Amino acid sequence: MKMRIRFTALLTAAMLLCSLGVHAFAAETVSPASPAVAPALIDAAELQKMMDDFVAEYSLDKQSRSISVGFCYLKTGDTWYYNTDKWYYSASMYKVPVAMLLAERELAGEITQDTVFENQYSTNSLAELERRSIVNSDNNTGHAMVEWMGGTYAGKCADQIIKYTDLPKSYFPQDFFDYSYYNVEFYTQVLKTLYNNPEQFPHVLDLMKQAQPGAYLRTNLEGKYDIAQKYGAFEEVKAYPTKNNNHVGGIIYTPNPIAVTI
């Protein structure tokens, strides 16, 4: 319950960003003009002010609290980030890019939805592992998928999933590889890759559209738009002060679909 309450502030930020996008829909078209002259869809200064005001209202710059946001119009690529220098433990967010790795193996004909993987965490088919890890966020099936791809519990296939971005390896801190720490730029680019190449990752988006009904990005948008999302929540009790990680990344299928990472 405490984790959900703390997430309310993050969710409010998402709603602010989504409402800003909705206001522009009527005028938005994908311009045939060259990128050099195409009008920008994002008012970076306005977004920066909205987030600065939000951070001040909730004192998110004090007591080891922080918030980061990634925002991208997926049809045009217009992108805006807030606090990209902050890296957070991924919690269950890793389950999407790892599922993408397995989906590529399925597309290549190496495995099928009926292929069963057995290890210390689970004995299930690919279809069941994907469903449980993405829809239900089950940790054992997530760990099973990581092991299937040859990753480790701590690193969670970090060296493999950077290919879903255009970021160089030098961009990532060692904590990304050793402890699965993500930032909003990385995850927003993963979502962009997923959106732009749905045929490359069979089932992943369909499963994300079933995840967490009525919660996270769906709290105020359920029934208004299709939403594909994945959350992550983890309390780092060994940290001092204790850190509560609450994240969500998703695609909101507005007329100009939006990728949001918080």
Side-chain angles (χ1 to χ4, degrees):
M1 179 59 71
K2 289 182 179 179
M3 300 291 272
R4 282 291 177 84
I5 292 172
R6 293 188 183 103
F7 193 78
T8 301
L10 306 188
L11 188 59
T12 302
M15 296 308 102
L16 287 172
L17 293 174
C18 292
S19 65
L20 181 65
V22 169
H23 294 160
F25 288 155
E28 284 172 8
T29 57
V30 180
S31 173
S34 67
V37 297
L41 299 181
I42 291 176
D43 187 331
E46 183 177 354
L47 281 169
Q48 183 74 33
K49 183 180 185 305
M50 290 169 70
M51 286 305 306
D52 287 343
D53 291 346
F54 182 80
V55 166
E57 179 180 355
Y58 287 90
S59 300
L60 292 177
D61 56 346
K62 300 176 182 178
Q63 300 175 351
S64 300
R65 305 174 74 192
S66 64
I67 183 171
S68 298
V69 177
F71 184 73
C72 178
Y73 280 121
L74 291 166
K75 287 185 178 180
T76 65
D78 290 73
T79 306
W80 180 82
Y81 296 112
Y82 185 86
N83 273 351
T84 55
D85 61 331
K86 302 288 186 180
W87 292 79
Y88 308 86
Y89 179 61
S90 66
S92 290
M93 300 283 275
Y94 77 88
K95 293 168 184 173
V96 168
V98 172
M100 291 166 67
L101 293 173
L102 282 163
E104 286 189 298
R105 292 187 60 184
E106 179 185 0
L107 187 66
E110 299 174 16
I111 55 179
T112 70
Q113 287 282 285
D114 296 326
T115 302
V116 174
F117 182 73
E118 180 178 358
N119 70 353
Q120 60 180 316
Y121 301 109
S122 175
T123 302
N124 279 296
S125 66
L126 173 61
E128 190 66 9
L129 288 174
E130 289 176 327
R131 184 187 67 80
R132 291 188 182 187
S133 65
I134 295 177
V135 178
N136 305 117
S137 202
D138 179 77
N139 288 329
N140 281 340
T141 53
H143 300 330
M145 291 168 67
V146 169
E147 189 167 298
W148 198 348
M149 284 305 305
T152 64
Y153 171 80
K156 298 183 175 67
C157 304
D159 58 333
Q160 300 179 60
I161 61 179
I162 59 175
K163 70 178 182 178
Y164 297 136
T165 77
D166 59 15
L167 301 168
K169 188 173 181 179
S170 59
Y171 172 86
F172 297 91
Q174 197 59 41
D175 280 350
F176 173 83
F177 299 100
D178 293 345
Y179 303 111
S180 189
Y181 271 64
Y182 293 177
N183 76 347
V184 290
E185 184 170 13
F186 164 74
Y187 210 80
T188 302
Q189 288 203 13
V190 170
L191 293 171
K192 184 178 178 181
T193 297
L194 186 55
Y195 173 84
N196 286 334
N197 306 278
E199 70 290 338
Q200 186 176 339
F201 309 106
H203 315 296
V204 177
L205 279 172
D206 288 339
L207 291 168
M208 291 175 68
K209 289 178 180 179
Q210 301 173 41
Q212 296 301 117
Y216 294 88
L217 297 178
R218 300 184 194 276
T219 300
N220 293 327
L221 297 177
E222 192 79 86
K224 296 181 181 179
Y225 305 108
D226 284 339
I227 296 174
Q229 66 176 357
K230 182 72 195 77
Y231 82 98
F234 183 76
E235 187 174 28
E236 294 184 79
V237 295
K238 294 183 180 180
Y240 182 79
T242 298
K243 292 182 180 179
N244 293 288
N245 295 276
N246 290 281
H247 322 305
V248 67
I251 297 169
I252 306 171
Y253 289 85
T254 53
N256 185 351
I258 300 167
V260 179
T261 305
I262 305 172

